[in-house]
Amino acid sequence: LEYKSFACGHSLGGSVLHELAHILEQEPEYAFNRVDVFNAGGSPLQRKYSALQQTQFFSHRVEGDFVSMFYEPPGASLDESGARAQVVLH
């Protein structure tokens, strides 16, 4: 049987999926088909990753979110939405 896997994570969960997607990329039978992360946590000291070949990786962030301010998605594809005044950013 052939399986397809999809993943979604927010904040710390998004950061964990970022790492996991890179680890599983080395094993095509286990690699994700698609990963979406929302406001994934990042650090200015975090190493940069190149784009994934097996996995479609989508990163979404609300502009002004402090936790994801330094997050760099693999391949640098980032969808940033404007913040709404009545909604907490993170």
Side-chain angles (χ1 to χ4, degrees):
L1 290 173
E2 184 177 317
Y3 295 95
K4 292 184 179 183
S5 61
F6 302 89
C8 178
H10 172 260
S11 195
L12 177 59
S15 298
V16 170
L17 282 175
H18 177 125
E19 294 294 326
L20 192 56
H22 273 279
I23 292 168
L24 295 177
E25 183 80 1
Q26 307 305 317
E27 303 288 335
E29 65 271 15
Y30 299 118
F32 291 107
N33 281 55
R34 177 179 172 143
V35 172
D36 284 85
V37 298
F38 299 85
N39 291 350
S43 164
L45 306 176
Q46 182 177 356
R47 71 180 190 181
K48 308 284 189 254
Y49 288 100
S50 58
L52 300 170
Q53 302 302 311
Q54 304 287 329
T55 302
Q56 293 180 346
F57 194 96
F58 298 95
S59 178
H60 312 273
R61 177 172 61 197
V62 175
E63 182 181 356
D65 176 54
F66 183 74
V67 173
S68 61
M69 183 182 300
F70 297 106
Y71 178 71
E72 297 259 350
S77 62
L78 178 65
D79 176 29
E80 190 167 60
S81 302
R84 290 185 246 163
Q86 71 274 22
V87 179
V88 177
L89 293 179
H90 188 76

